């Protein structure tokens, strides 16, 4: 099913909903899609993860988990207190790197060792299942790939200056 481009996850990505007629297809959620577009445009204009979080939090845009709860999803998370949860820079980083926003479905990023054991391992990129153009894109491909170039340039190197015992 994954190789056919069918969505096999439990919950749709932020910016998308499951199609009510076919639960393995994604459709655009217009409200969340505008937030996704804003995140990409803010990053493209030069803001970093923290500044984007500040913008979203100051404008009272609900984070992903809260938005899912508000829509009636049975999504469970430990930090779903509607009054205290805020946007996180890691969330922004994940969203900016996610190909789902250009219409590609990337699955099999992680898997369980055994159905009896709850340990999850992350797969190598060569084991990912990537199917292009499975659903409507929110972000233009040119914009997405320009942002990927920016992300690759902005990586900080944490080289040790000295060896510590």
């Amino acid at each position: 099913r994954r190789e056919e481009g069918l969505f096999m996850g439990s919950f749709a990505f932020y910016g998308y909903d499951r199609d009510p007629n076919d639960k393995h297809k994604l459709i655009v959620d217009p409200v969340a899609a505008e937030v996704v577009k804003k995140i990409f445009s803010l990053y493209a204009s030069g803001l970093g993860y923290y500044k984007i979080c500040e913008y979203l939090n100051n404008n009272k845009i609900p984070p992903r988990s809260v938005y899912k709860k508000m829509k009636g999803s049975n999504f469970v998370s430990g930090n779903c207190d509607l009054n205290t949860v805020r946007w996180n820079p890691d969330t922004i980083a994940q969203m900016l790197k996610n190909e789902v926003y250009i219409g590609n479905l990337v699955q099999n990023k992680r898997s369980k060792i055994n159905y009896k054991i709850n340990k999850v391992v992350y797969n190598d990129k060569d084991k990912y299942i990537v199917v292009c153009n499975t659903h409507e894109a929110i972000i233009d491909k040119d914009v997405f790939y320009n942002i990927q170039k920016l992300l690759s340039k902005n990586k900080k190197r944490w080289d040790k200056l000295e060896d510590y015992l």
Side-chain angles (χ1 to χ4, degrees):
R1 288 183 167 188
R2 289 179 179 164
E3 291 170 356
E4 294 172 9
L6 299 176
F7 178 68
M8 301 303 298
S10 300
F11 297 97
F13 296 96
Y14 185 76
Y16 291 97
D17 283 326
R18 286 179 175 259
D19 188 339
N21 300 325
D22 183 359
K23 67 179 183 173
H24 297 297
K25 297 284 183 187
L26 296 175
I27 57 172
V28 174
D29 175 1
V31 175
E34 288 303 315
V35 176
V36 172
K37 288 177 186 176
K38 189 67 177 174
I39 289 169
F40 275 83
S41 70
L42 288 171
Y43 191 82
S45 69
L47 293 182
Y49 303 146
Y50 290 99
K51 293 288 184 185
I52 294 171
C53 288
E54 276 182 22
Y55 173 85
L56 297 172
N57 290 327
N58 291 341
N59 288 305
K60 305 217 182 318
I61 297 171
R64 294 187 306 183
S65 55
V66 174
Y67 184 73
K68 286 180 184 179
K69 283 285 200 190
M70 288 169 53
K71 288 190 69 170
S73 173
N74 59 357
F75 178 75
V76 177
S77 175
N79 64 349
C80 275
D81 181 7
L82 297 175
N83 300 319
T84 60
V85 72
R86 299 172 54 83
W87 282 93
N88 186 320
D90 293 335
T91 303
I92 303 299
Q94 289 172 1
M95 290 174 70
L96 290 171
K97 294 173 189 169
N98 197 340
E99 286 187 42
V100 75
Y101 297 115
I102 58 170
N104 298 347
L105 208 50
V106 181
Q107 299 183 95
N108 201 39
K109 287 184 176 181
R110 56 191 175 141
S111 57
K112 285 189 176 187
I113 296 174
N114 187 324
Y115 73 94
K116 294 179 181 179
I117 302 171
N118 283 331
K119 186 172 182 180
V120 174
V121 294
Y122 289 89
N123 296 327
D124 296 327
K125 287 192 176 191
D126 61 331
K127 292 186 180 178
Y128 289 2
I129 299 171
V130 181
V131 183
C132 298
N133 302 320
T134 58
H135 54 275
E136 183 183 345
I138 294 176
I139 303 299
D140 183 55
K141 288 183 181 184
D142 293 334
V143 172
F144 181 81
Y145 290 121
N146 285 336
I147 286 182
Q148 299 316 300
K149 287 178 189 173
L150 288 173
L151 288 169
S152 66
K153 287 180 186 176
N154 291 341
K155 287 186 179 177
K156 290 184 181 176
R157 294 191 53 182
W158 297 98
D159 293 335
K160 293 181 183 177
L161 300 175
E162 300 175 17
D163 289 333
Y164 294 98
L165 296 176

